[in-house]
Amino acid sequence: MEPITKSGLRGIVYKEVIGFDPEKSENVFKENMEFIESLQKHPLIRYGLSPHAPYSVSGKLLEKIAIYSAHSGTPITIHISESEEEVQFLKEGSSALRGFLEKRGALPHSWQPVGTTPVSYLHGINFLSSKTLGVHLNYLTDGDIEILNRVNMSIVHCPRSTRYFGRHKSIMDIFPEQFNIAIGTDSLASNDSLNMLDEMRLLKETLNIPADTILKMATINGAKALGLDDKIGTLEAGKCADIIALRKVKDSTSFPAIESLSESLLTDTWEVSLVIVDGKILQNKLAW
């Protein structure tokens, strides 16, 4: 936690939780709850829990985390419907994912498929809510979409992770106006960098989403997803001074017109030159 809290950045740090054996759910829950509650409060960082996925965390443990979150206000996030294998595993108990879990001794002997989609399953155990942050949502049925509309859950789409696994369907096929969708990178396990600008550019290249919409997904939508939109996400009076400035790498003297600035951000090469968080300069490459 030390390098995170000393970084000067603002955000939410989620402690990942894995525990697919329902008989161990009480102990796993207690350990993680006590860990979160032992952390020292920080003016810029909040702490949350991240039960990894519905195929790596038991229903009992998910229910405990959801109840704890509702009572304590602890943020929670989870990977949902990332792959076809995940959907098939939960519905039918088959797919390569079962072999993956069995090989690692991570599949309880008593486990049975839930017979439905990940979204429907999580909704049925009251895990999903407007406070839950769902990641991926690459494979959805019409029933899943109805549930997501009902619970009004924010979603994080990870464009390059989706491409890495060859998963061409995603929440983006339904399109952002229907949900609050933010942009994420997932991790270096399924990505070659953690560069948000690269994620934004891929959305533009592959789906031709308007540049202004992509910019909102990377700023205010992300702030809403984290419950921080009253503090950050837009530049306006009354909000915290969390600001980055970017400079064109090539032809830096040629500045695009204001109306085409978002488009230029996704087509030209830019680099971060100034980082300010809560009014404090953390990085400055600009010549004043």
Side-chain angles (χ1 to χ4, degrees):
M1 300 307 301
E2 187 176 350
I4 294 172
T5 53
K6 286 186 174 181
S7 69
L9 298 175
R10 184 193 309 276
I12 300 177
V13 180
Y14 294 91
K15 166 74 167 61
E16 188 167 66
V17 180
I18 292 178
F20 205 27
D21 187 345
E23 293 183 5
K24 298 179 180 178
S25 61
E26 183 63 41
N27 287 339
V28 175
F29 169 72
K30 185 179 179 181
E31 288 172 6
N32 283 278
M33 179 190 67
E34 289 177 350
F35 174 78
I36 288 293
E37 293 180 352
S38 72
L39 296 172
Q40 189 172 2
K41 290 187 177 181
H42 190 275
L44 298 178
I45 301 293
R46 290 186 68 196
Y47 307 108
L49 291 171
S50 175
H52 173 253
Y55 61 82
S56 57
V57 182
S58 70
K60 281 188 176 180
L61 185 51
L62 288 169
E63 289 175 327
K64 289 178 182 296
I65 290 172
I67 293 170
Y68 175 70
S69 171
H71 289 166
S72 66
T74 302
I76 52 175
T77 182
I78 185 170
H79 296 238
I80 312 172
S81 295
E82 182 179 3
S83 68
E84 286 183 303
E85 291 85 357
E86 174 188 339
V87 176
Q88 185 182 350
F89 173 70
L90 287 178
K91 289 180 72 174
E92 304 169 7
S94 57
S95 86
L97 184 55
R98 183 180 189 116
F100 176 87
L101 293 172
E102 287 177 336
K103 186 177 181 180
R104 286 155 180 78
L107 184 66
H109 295 296
S110 61
W111 184 83
Q112 295 293 324
V114 295
T116 188
T117 66
V119 171
S120 178
Y121 163 60
L122 292 172
H123 181 59
I125 61 173
N126 298 315
F127 185 84
L128 302 182
S129 76
S130 60
K131 303 296 184 182
T132 311
L133 185 56
V135 184
H136 296 302
L137 284 300
N138 288 333
Y139 293 91
L140 300 171
T141 65
D142 289 342
D144 292 338
I145 297 166
E146 289 179 13
I147 290 171
L148 293 175
N149 272 319
R150 207 177 308 147
V151 299
N152 194 29
M153 179 181 73
S154 286
I155 295 164
V156 178
H157 175 56
C158 304
R160 291 195 300 160
S161 174
T162 299
R163 182 184 64 176
Y164 178 89
F165 286 110
R167 298 162 189 164
H168 302 294
K169 298 177 182 179
S170 74
I171 188 68
M172 297 306 299
D173 296 316
I174 302 155
F175 208 55
E177 281 80 1
Q178 195 165 344
F179 303 102
N180 181 58
I181 302 180
I183 300 173
T185 63
D186 206 349
S187 76
L188 291 174
S190 60
N191 214 333
D192 53 15
S193 79
L194 302 179
N195 189 321
M196 279 287 288
L197 284 171
D198 289 342
E199 304 292 340
M200 295 163 68
R201 288 171 184 137
L202 183 62
L203 276 183
K204 180 63 178 175
E205 292 168 11
T206 56
L207 297 177
N208 198 31
I209 298 172
D212 286 345
T213 299
I214 294 174
L215 186 59
K216 288 178 181 178
M217 291 172 64
T219 52
I220 187 61
N221 288 16
K224 287 178 181 177
L226 295 174
L228 296 172
D229 49 306
D230 61 330
K231 295 182 175 66
I232 61 172
T234 53
L235 301 179
E236 57 182 293
K239 286 195 174 183
C240 301
D242 286 16
I243 303 166
I244 63 170
L246 298 100
R247 172 187 282 164
K248 285 181 71 176
V249 174
K250 296 179 181 178
D251 194 18
S252 58
T253 59
S254 174
F255 194 75
I258 293 297
E259 57 270 18
S260 60
L261 186 54
S262 297
E263 193 75 32
S264 173
L265 184 65
L266 303 181
T267 54
D268 298 325
T269 304
W270 296 74
E271 66 176 4
V272 176
S273 298
L274 178 69
V275 178
I276 301 174
V277 176
D278 209 37
K280 181 180 179 181
I281 296 176
L282 303 183
Q283 175 181 310
N284 184 10
K285 297 181 180 178
L286 295 175
W288 298 94

